[in-house]
Amino acid sequence: MRGAVLHAPGDVRVEDREDPRILLPTDAVIRLSATCVCGSDLWPYRGVEAVTGPSPMGHEYVGVVQEVGSEVRNVKPGQFVVGSFFASDNTCPICRAGYQSSCVHREPVGGLGAQAEYLRVPLADGTLVATPETPSDDLLPDLLAASDVLGTGWFGAVAAQVGPGRTVAVVGDGAVGLLAVLAAKRFGAERIIAVSRHESRQKLAIHYGATDIVTERGDEGVARIRDLTGGLGAHSVIEAVGTQESMMQAIRSTRPGGHVGYVGVAHGVELPGEELFFSHVHLHGGPAPVRRFLPELIDLIYKREIDPGKVFDLTLPLEQAAEAYRAMDERRAVKVLLTP
Amino acid sequence: MRGAVLHAPGDVRVEDREDPRILLPTDAVIRLSATCVCGSDLWPYRGVEAVTGPSPMGHEYVGVVQEVGSEVRNVKPGQFVVGSFFASDNTCPICRAGYQSSCVHREPVGGLGAQAEYLRVPLADGTLVATPETPSDDLLPDLLAASDVLGTGWFGAVAAQVGPGRTVAVVGDGAVGLLAVLAAKRFGAERIIAVSRHESRQKLAIHYGATDIVTERGDEGVARIRDLTGGLGAHSVIEAVGTQESMMQAIRSTRPGGHVGYVGVAHGVELPGEELFFSHVHLHGGPAPVRRFLPELIDLIYKREIDPGKVFDLTLPLEQAAEAYRAMDERRAVKVLLTP
């Protein structure tokens, strides 16, 4: 089959890879209907994360089950399924508490390479969620978004305890930040401040429910958010970048007793303990347990109550994965959908 | 009046200080019935925090109102009152959300020096809570504990979301850690693991409800707590020290999705963002909003349902404050009560 492989920073190639097959009785193999490039794929692409040898890329996927192992009970060949970036058994105490992305048996899907024609999914019963029926093509981008960026933005809003009457700020205008705006709106936030300096992203943020746009970053951004919140800071702040600057902007934009939900994969972040102590914020986040939210998200998508697929502003054939990475790296595209 | 003043690390003197008086119409002046030395007083005493000139010491106090300013409505001369280490208006949005120690008008009481005969308390209406009646002498240590260490341990348990069926670990065996054990027991924790290597403190922890004692610190302590919790870590961990080692022990002892409540004043702590991200813990803490809890704590003390005063294992006259600091610095005493 064909699949995208990162050979070195900036060097993504689509090449022949071995066809995935069932290795364990809990595996499934799916034929991908759509996949995409994640903001977190840009960390190794940019060389911020080390690249050690050729790495199959991609961890976002929707598709049709081709084959299942002998112990798989919950999904069967022919079903359309959505999964996420950690395979989980969905039965251990950590999964049952809603943290499937820290499942005691978790396996990262990233290493298996979902930017491809086929994908082996470990722990299929605990990882994949079948849709009610095979979706029409126009729902594919929405369902693919649920696989990661929607589930991650959603978790950010949950972690930041967004709710009715609350003022929410979202730091980061990538797909996750934009979908955190969507989630905050669904959760009844009264006011949603999006931090963005890109006009097309601002428009999408407003489409998803943002009531205010802040273009400043860092301490200036903090000052603007404080101005907008009576000097107190927001009740809830969602961090969707993962840098030192964005984390500190999120913490400093939150009022004492408020909640920071951070879902940008942290890179080189060091949190000053004393400032955090006196900030009085709640801090929660990490890799989103997307599996927790998938049944609800799929339901909302089928009812056409949410349209997360709008974050895909470019669609390319899988063979052009290299161009997809370039477009996202250069911020010409928010998120690129790849069709195998 | 007489009061304790820190002149330099290790140099505490009781000397004549000016009598406090009403400066603002929202002030009260109280005659102290009891005061004490806090673990956090040891930071400047040990030179870990800089000492810049002679500093009146102490921020824990109970006593009788002597005089109130013209705008004070909630307390009156003759009443016995308990206050805490931040004065608060108890009416601003932050106070109303339960974070009085981040009140927009907060004033630290520490700088006013409660290790003395009299104390000016700013924002008296929002800071002081009158007891139902003048307490008998045997309740004084309990009420004094409520002023800081009980309220702080209590907040640690609240921040760590301690509740029925939960396994709780407490890192730190000072007065705050011991009273966090008491709070965890009150909140219905199923299992309470106290980290302590001192026999007398272990005994008090067990008296307050600890079910297990771990003597190891750092990564060995983490391994022991994981052993005791099926390899997963505790649901709730209360951090009551404030060092890098204790914070990391707390975070690493918590299961994914679990809660760290940290109340040890952070000194030189830097939290690694990537580890925190993948730990999946909730982190909350800071200076305890003791005012939130005082009415409930005073009620429990008057009903003799809790005995937090047991943490005072040495009582000295105020004049011997220097010996009180020495005894705590050398860990000969858990906490020293001073009688003015």
Side-chain angles (χ1 to χ4, degrees):
Chain A
M1 69 164 187
R2 302 287 286 169
V5 176
L6 182 68
H7 286 262
D11 180 9
V12 173
R13 302 177 207 164
V14 177
E15 53 194 37
D16 287 328
R17 288 181 49 210
E18 200 177 345
D19 285 341
R21 54 190 181 83
I22 301 291
L23 299 180
L24 290 170
T26 47
D27 286 347
V29 169
I30 66 174
R31 178 171 52 76
L32 294 171
S33 304
T35 180
C36 53
V37 182
C38 186
S40 69
D41 292 331
L42 297 180
W43 291 109
Y45 181 80
R46 289 172 173 161
V48 179
E49 273 177 23
V51 182
T52 53
S55 308
M57 295 295 288
H59 53 261
E60 296 158 286
Y61 55 99
V62 296
V64 178
V65 178
Q66 298 299 294
E67 192 185 351
V68 297
S70 60
E71 291 176 15
V72 174
R73 297 285 171 273
N74 297 344
V75 294
K76 56 186 180 190
Q79 279 186 320
F80 192 91
V81 292
V82 185
S84 191
F85 47 87
F86 273 116
S88 54
D89 63 23
N90 210 27
T91 58
C92 79
I94 303 301
C95 283
R96 289 202 308 273
Y99 286 85
Q100 289 90 343
S101 42
S102 280
C103 170
V104 298
H105 296 118
R106 75 173 179 186
E107 291 185 46
V109 172
L112 303 171
Q115 289 160 8
E117 292 179 280
Y118 294 89
L119 176 70
R120 180 178 71 87
V121 180
L123 300 168
D125 272 347
T127 304
L128 297 172
V129 178
T131 58
E133 56 194 35
T134 299
S136 55
D137 281 353
D138 65 320
L139 288 184
L140 278 186
D142 298 311
L143 291 166
L144 181 60
S147 173
D148 180 351
V149 283
L150 173 60
T152 296
W154 202 268
F155 176 57
V158 169
Q161 302 255 312
V162 175
R166 290 208 157 209
T167 294
V168 180
V170 179
V171 179
D173 63 359
V176 171
L178 293 166
L179 293 172
V181 171
L182 177 153
K185 176 76 175 171
R186 287 287 310 179
F187 295 177
E190 188 172 294
R191 194 166 180 186
I192 302 170
I193 303 164
V195 178
S196 173
R197 51 175 70 176
H198 301 267
E199 199 186 1
S200 62
R201 293 163 192 247
Q202 292 171 357
K203 277 186 185 157
L204 198 45
I206 288 165
H207 168 77
Y208 282 142
T211 55
D212 300 84
I213 300 287
V214 164
T215 55
E216 295 85 349
R217 289 192 196 163
D219 287 344
E220 277 180 63
V222 172
R224 283 284 296 135
I225 291 170
R226 291 196 168 266
D227 281 350
L228 292 169
T229 54
L232 299 174
H235 297 98
S236 299
V237 179
I238 301 162
E239 192 283 335
V241 183
T243 62
Q244 182 73 19
E245 182 184 70
S246 63
M247 276 299 283
M248 295 317 298
Q249 183 175 355
I251 291 167
R252 292 172 181 159
S253 298
T254 308
R255 69 180 57 191
H259 293 74
V260 177
Y262 66 109
V263 290
V265 182
H267 282 78
V269 173
E270 291 277 336
L271 299 182
E274 195 162 341
E275 177 172 350
L276 195 65
F277 185 84
F278 286 101
S279 76
H280 252 160
V281 303
H282 297 73
L283 201 59
H284 184 46
V290 177
R291 179 64 184 80
R292 189 204 309 180
F293 309 114
L294 274 182
E296 180 183 3
L297 299 179
I298 291 170
D299 183 57
L300 291 171
I301 288 167
Y302 269 78
K303 289 177 179 161
R304 296 177 189 270
E305 291 190 17
I306 56 176
D307 56 354
K310 275 203 161 50
V311 295
F312 294 104
D313 51 354
L314 180 61
T315 297
L316 292 173
L318 173 63
E319 289 296 329
Q320 293 180 34
E323 166 58 14
Y325 275 79
R326 274 195 300 273
M328 282 181 62
D329 180 40
E330 294 163 10
R331 288 179 79 85
R332 283 184 279 119
V334 174
K335 196 163 175 74
V336 185
L337 187 146
L338 296 171
T339 50
Chain B
M1 69 163 187
R2 303 287 286 171
V5 176
L6 182 68
H7 286 261
D11 181 9
V12 173
R13 303 176 207 165
V14 176
E15 52 195 37
D16 287 328
R17 289 180 48 208
E18 200 176 346
D19 285 341
R21 54 191 182 81
I22 302 291
L23 298 181
L24 291 169
T26 47
D27 286 347
V29 170
I30 66 173
R31 179 172 51 75
L32 295 171
S33 304
T35 180
C36 53
V37 182
C38 185
S40 68
D41 292 332
L42 297 180
W43 292 109
Y45 181 80
R46 289 172 173 163
V48 179
E49 272 177 23
V51 182
T52 54
S55 308
M57 296 295 288
H59 54 261
E60 295 159 285
Y61 54 99
V62 296
V64 178
V65 178
Q66 297 298 294
E67 193 186 351
V68 298
S70 60
E71 291 176 14
V72 174
R73 297 285 172 272
N74 298 345
V75 295
K76 57 187 179 188
Q79 279 185 319
F80 192 92
V81 291
V82 185
S84 191
F85 47 87
F86 273 116
S88 55
D89 63 22
N90 210 26
T91 57
C92 79
I94 304 301
C95 282
R96 290 203 307 274
Y99 287 85
Q100 289 90 343
S101 41
S102 281
C103 170
V104 298
H105 296 118
R106 75 173 179 186
E107 291 185 45
V109 171
L112 304 170
Q115 289 159 7
E117 291 178 281
Y118 295 89
L119 177 70
R120 179 176 73 86
V121 179
L123 301 168
D125 273 347
T127 305
L128 298 172
V129 178
T131 58
E133 56 193 36
T134 299
S136 55
D137 281 353
D138 66 318
L139 288 184
L140 277 186
D142 297 312
L143 292 166
L144 182 60
S147 173
D148 180 351
V149 283
L150 174 60
T152 296
W154 202 267
F155 176 57
V158 169
Q161 302 255 314
V162 175
R166 289 209 157 209
T167 293
V168 181
V170 179
V171 179
D173 63 358
V176 170
L178 292 167
L179 293 172
V181 172
L182 177 153
K185 176 76 176 172
R186 287 288 309 179
F187 295 177
E190 187 172 294
R191 193 164 181 188
I192 303 171
I193 303 165
V195 178
S196 173
R197 54 175 69 176
H198 300 268
E199 198 186 359
S200 62
R201 293 163 191 246
Q202 291 172 356
K203 278 186 185 156
L204 199 45
I206 288 166
H207 168 78
Y208 282 141
T211 54
D212 300 84
I213 300 288
V214 163
T215 55
E216 294 86 351
R217 289 192 197 163
D219 287 343
E220 277 180 63
V222 171
R224 282 285 296 135
I225 291 169
R226 290 196 168 265
D227 281 349
L228 292 168
T229 54
L232 300 174
H235 298 97
S236 299
V237 179
I238 302 163
E239 192 285 333
V241 182
T243 62
Q244 183 74 20
E245 182 184 69
S246 63
M247 276 298 283
M248 295 318 297
Q249 182 175 355
I251 291 167
R252 292 172 182 161
S253 300
T254 307
R255 67 179 60 192
H259 292 75
V260 177
Y262 66 109
V263 290
V265 182
H267 282 79
V269 174
E270 291 276 337
L271 299 181
E274 195 162 339
E275 177 172 350
L276 196 65
F277 185 84
F278 286 101
S279 76
H280 253 158
V281 302
H282 297 74
L283 201 59
H284 184 46
V290 177
R291 178 65 184 79
R292 188 204 310 181
F293 309 115
L294 273 181
E296 180 183 4
L297 299 179
I298 290 171
D299 183 57
L300 290 172
I301 289 167
Y302 268 77
K303 288 178 179 159
R304 296 178 189 269
E305 292 190 17
I306 55 175
D307 56 355
K310 275 203 162 49
V311 295
F312 294 105
D313 51 355
L314 180 61
T315 297
L316 292 173
L318 173 62
E319 290 295 329
Q320 293 179 32
E323 166 57 14
Y325 277 79
R326 274 195 299 274
M328 282 181 63
D329 180 40
E330 295 163 9
R331 289 179 78 86
R332 283 184 279 120
V334 174
K335 195 163 175 73
V336 185
L337 188 147
L338 296 170
T339 51

